[in-house]
């Protein structure tokens, strides 16, 4: 190891920069890499060296204006670190993730905005009307159509029971989308970063109001009868979450997001497995539940009124 | 690895490097001779040796994705030598922050309207609890958003950005 004094950087004044140390060469005072790769961060240089190589870094620095050197090396280090974390997708994974997040935020923003406009409209023209009125039911289909969302079948019959009608669809939709949108869907695992990302998505789904609806169906009925706009949000989010995860990150482990996303998929998978044996029973139970839900929503609305 | 379709003409990598394209050429499946620019970009920015080492570390079924992401990054670096694809990340991160701010503001408005419209506290909490959770600034969405900024946030910290990214490795 060479130990030189009089380096360009303050932090590495007593030793060679990480680049020279890694290459076991003498770090001269005007070493072009010394300002960007201090001796106490060897891993960062190793990442940059592994992805770009020292000669490419030097060529890049030579081709740029000195004023741009710092920014260029910063982006190089960021890119190299991303590739080290995600060997398959690198920065492209980050870009896909950000695109996905933007889509989520836009969807959420549109929904909240639609709801806000509904409130503003009601306050402007019907200042005394209660929010638990039939106006909700009148506005709901319009807002869904405006938002380009599929109109759930449950709205048309009972407006109370989204579970039985909708649960299987997001699963199949997402699987089909994943198959059609990504060429090689067989690439799984190996990526810690994406696993943690799917954890983020999982927690996102867990925090979503879909959870209480599945855990406590009676509660969901009450919420549905009070607040119809939660229905399109649930359906849209669920479809989108699983669709997008598969679409952008084929390496995200499906198991984890399914585990994180609780009983919804247990229900759907069980449903598919037990379909043949329990179909008739389900029909009976579903009809009973639907009628009960309809009664419940009517009674809850009327009682609150 | 190399399929029979590449046996006639060498792959773009071997053609560029002027070497014989062997049957087990690691580049052949991903750099067809019809796309010479793809390999030229990757070679100029990363170098063929680095790319082949990187591909060897990746499982075969993920190599196509890895090559495509490398080709994207190389093209971005050719177009913008200073920022490369990180410039796109910067733009997207700013967009996320702007959307988050707009969403928070709209959520705050929504809560205000909802509270004005529904004096009974019980009904408000029951119906709009989840909404207020999102809109209360420190709600779940904010936490999620911060989680999205990996490996580190490009915009926020200038000098120490890399150290945080490097430290997590």
């Amino acid at each position: 190891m060479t130990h030189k004094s009089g380096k360009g950087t303050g932090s590495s004044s007593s030793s060679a920069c990480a680049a020279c140390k890694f290459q076991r060469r003498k770090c001269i005072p005007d070493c072009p890499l010394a300002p960007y790769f201090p001796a106490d961060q060897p891993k960062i240089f190793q990442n940059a060296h592994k992805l770009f190589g020292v000669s490419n870094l030097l060529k890049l620095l030579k081709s740029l204006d000195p004023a741009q050197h710092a920014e260029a090396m910063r982006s190089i280090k960021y890119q190299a670190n991303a590739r080290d974390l995600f060997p398959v997708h690198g920065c492209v994974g980050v870009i896909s993730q950000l695109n996905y997040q933007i889509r989520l935020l836009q969807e959420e923003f549109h929904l909240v905005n639609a709801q806000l406009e509904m409130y503003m409209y009601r306050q402007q023209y019907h200042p005394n009307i209660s929010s638990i009125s039939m106006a909700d039911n009148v506005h709901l289909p319009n807002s869904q159509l405006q938002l380009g969302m599929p109109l759930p079948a449950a709205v048309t019959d009972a407006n109370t029971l989204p579970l039985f009608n909708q649960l299987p669809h997001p699963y199949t939709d997402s699987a089909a989308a994943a198959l059609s949108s990504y060429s090689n869907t067989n690439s799984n695992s190996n990526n810690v970063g994406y696993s943690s990302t799917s954890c983020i998505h999982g927690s996102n789904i867990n925090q979503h109001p879909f959870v209480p609806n599945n855990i406590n169906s009676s509660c969901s009925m009450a919420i549905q009868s009070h607040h119809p706009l939660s229905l399109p949000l649930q359906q849209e989010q669920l479809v989108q979450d699983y669709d997008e995860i598969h679409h952008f990150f084929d390496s995200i482990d499906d198991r984890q997001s399914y585990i994180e996303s609780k009983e919804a998929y247990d229900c759907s998978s069980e449903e598919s497995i037990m379909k043949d044996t329990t179909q008739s029973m389900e029909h009976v139970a579903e009809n009973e539940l639907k009628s009960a839900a309809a009664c419940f929503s009517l009674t809850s609305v009327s009682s609150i009124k | 690895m190399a399929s029979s379709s590449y046996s006639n003409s060498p792959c773009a990598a071997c053609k560029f490097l002027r070497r014989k394209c062997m049957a087990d050429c690691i580049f052949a499946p991903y750099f067809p001779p019809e796309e010479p620019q793809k390999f030229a970009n990757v070679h100029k920015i990363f170098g063929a040796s680095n790319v082949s080492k990187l591909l060897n570390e990746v499982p075969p079924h993920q190599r196509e994705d890895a090559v495509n992401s490398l080709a994207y990054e190389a093209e971005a670096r050719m177009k913008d030598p200073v920022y490369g694809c990180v410039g796109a990340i910067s733009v997207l991160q700013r967009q996320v922050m702007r959307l988050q701010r707009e969403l928070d503001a709209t959520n705050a408005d929504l809560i205000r309207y909802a509270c004005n419209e529904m004096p009974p506290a019980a009904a408000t909490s029951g119906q709009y609890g989840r909404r207020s959770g999102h809109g209360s600034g420190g709600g779940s969405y904010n936490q999620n958003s911060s989680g999205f900024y990996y490996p580190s946030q490009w915009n926020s910290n200038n000098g120490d950005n890399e150290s945080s990214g490097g430290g997590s490795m």
Side-chain angles (χ1 to χ4, degrees):
Chain A
M1 286 290 171
T2 57
H3 289 279
K4 289 290 136 192
S5 57
K7 288 290 104 29
T9 56
S11 62
S12 60
S13 59
S14 62
S15 64
C17 72
C20 293
K21 204 183 250 184
F22 188 81
Q23 298 175 98
R24 300 190 177 198
R25 68 178 187 189
K26 185 180 174 184
C27 192
I28 53 176
D30 55 349
C31 171
L33 297 175
Y36 314 110
F37 298 105
D40 55 349
Q41 295 173 350
K43 179 69 177 165
I44 290 174
F45 173 75
Q46 283 170 33
N47 291 341
H49 176 61
K50 189 179 171 188
L51 183 62
F52 293 95
V54 171
S55 67
N56 281 336
L57 294 180
L58 293 174
K59 263 190 268 178
L60 181 76
L61 285 177
K62 266 184 202 167
S63 69
L64 292 175
D65 190 78
Q68 297 176 310
H69 283 185
E71 283 294 280
M73 294 314 288
R74 200 160 74 88
S75 74
I76 287 279
K77 286 189 266 186
Y78 184 95
Q79 194 172 343
N81 288 340
R83 180 62 63 176
D84 182 60
L85 281 173
F86 316 120
V88 176
H89 293 93
C91 275
V92 179
V94 181
I95 289 172
S96 302
Q97 182 65 54
L98 285 165
N99 275 323
Y100 169 69
Q101 193 185 358
I102 285 169
R103 279 190 58 182
L104 271 188
L105 283 170
Q106 282 173 339
E107 295 283 343
E108 176 82 5
F109 180 74
H110 286 319
L111 283 171
V112 174
N113 218 18
Q115 208 173 8
L116 179 66
E117 281 173 10
M118 189 183 75
Y119 276 110
M120 289 168 79
Y121 172 82
R122 264 205 322 234
Q123 207 166 60
Q124 196 172 355
Y125 296 103
H126 310 285
N128 295 325
I129 198 164
S130 164
S131 71
I132 315 162
S133 67
M134 292 310 287
D136 272 342
N137 294 329
V138 174
H139 281 289
L140 171 63
N142 293 338
S143 61
Q144 279 180 317
L145 290 174
Q146 284 160 7
L147 291 167
M149 291 186 295
L151 194 62
V155 177
T156 51
D157 25 354
N159 194 21
T160 48
L161 266 180
L163 297 179
F164 301 103
N165 288 328
Q166 294 167 21
L167 265 180
H169 299 305
Y171 190 89
T172 51
D173 285 350
S174 64
L179 283 171
S180 61
S181 61
Y182 223 91
S183 55
N184 47 351
T185 52
N186 53 349
S187 50
N188 297 335
S189 70
N190 141 288
N191 214 321
V192 178
Y194 290 156
S195 299
S196 67
T197 309
S198 72
C199 283
I200 293 168
H201 288 293
S203 62
N204 187 10
I205 294 163
N206 271 334
Q207 288 156 358
H208 199 269
F210 198 77
V211 181
N213 285 346
N214 282 300
I215 292 169
N216 190 344
S217 59
S218 64
C219 172
S220 93
M221 284 184 245
I223 292 172
Q224 281 297 316
S225 61
H226 290 192
H227 190 34
L229 262 179
S230 61
L231 177 62
L233 186 69
Q234 292 161 8
Q235 194 184 29
E236 181 72 11
Q237 287 267 350
L238 194 71
V239 172
Q240 196 191 6
D241 282 347
Y242 287 93
D243 185 359
E244 292 297 326
I245 288 170
H246 290 292
H247 181 273
F248 287 122
F249 297 103
D250 57 334
S251 62
I252 285 178
D253 49 340
D254 303 340
R255 293 154 288 130
Q256 192 164 8
S257 43
Y258 291 156
I259 291 166
E260 290 286 330
S261 61
K262 80 255 151 279
E263 300 83 26
Y265 288 87
D266 293 342
C267 291
S268 60
S269 59
E270 282 170 16
E271 217 172 62
S272 61
I273 293 165
M274 307 282 285
K275 200 173 182 179
D276 294 328
T277 55
T278 61
Q279 204 167 17
S280 58
M281 285 177 64
E282 273 181 12
H283 276 299
V284 174
E286 189 174 325
N287 288 335
E288 284 178 1
L289 277 169
K290 273 187 183 176
S291 56
C295 293
F296 185 83
S297 66
L298 287 172
T299 53
S300 62
V301 168
S302 58
S303 64
I304 290 168
K305 265 187 170 180
Chain B
M1 180 60 75
S3 61
S4 58
S5 62
Y6 299 107
S7 59
N8 293 333
S9 63
C11 69
C14 292
K15 203 181 258 183
F16 189 93
L17 299 170
R18 297 186 182 187
R19 67 181 191 186
K20 191 182 177 192
C21 192
M22 308 294 282
D24 58 347
C25 172
I26 194 168
F27 296 120
Y30 317 111
F31 295 103
E34 307 87 54
E35 298 178 62
Q37 196 58 40
K38 185 180 177 185
F39 181 78
N41 289 344
V42 166
H43 177 62
K44 184 174 182 194
I45 298 299
F46 303 114
S49 160
N50 284 342
V51 173
S52 87
K53 271 187 258 179
L54 203 141
L55 287 181
N56 276 320
E57 291 174 6
V58 169
H61 67 277
Q62 291 186 311
R63 284 179 189 168
E64 188 175 356
D65 282 351
V67 165
N68 288 337
S69 68
L70 284 172
Y72 175 86
E73 289 180 22
E75 194 181 345
R77 182 66 63 178
M78 297 281 280
K79 286 178 184 167
D80 181 359
V82 177
Y83 290 103
C85 68
V86 182
I89 292 177
S90 174
V91 169
L92 291 173
Q93 282 181 345
R94 276 200 294 268
Q95 198 178 345
V96 165
M97 283 188 277
R98 184 178 56 80
L99 275 168
Q100 189 67 60
R101 276 199 303 272
E102 286 179 12
L103 180 62
D104 288 344
T106 315
N107 264 322
D109 288 345
L110 182 66
I111 291 167
R112 211 171 53 236
Y113 271 97
C115 290
N116 287 343
E117 199 165 299
M118 298 185 55
T124 306
S125 63
Q127 269 191 277
Y128 304 102
R130 66 182 180 83
R131 287 286 182 194
S132 59
H134 281 236
S136 57
S140 56
Y141 240 98
N142 278 347
Q143 288 169 3
N144 285 339
S145 322
S146 64
F148 278 115
Y149 295 140
Y150 67 91
S152 59
Q153 192 162 355
W154 168 255
N155 285 319
S156 60
N157 35 8
N158 284 332
D160 300 330
N161 179 17
E162 303 79 29
S163 61
S164 64
S168 65
M169 279 172 262

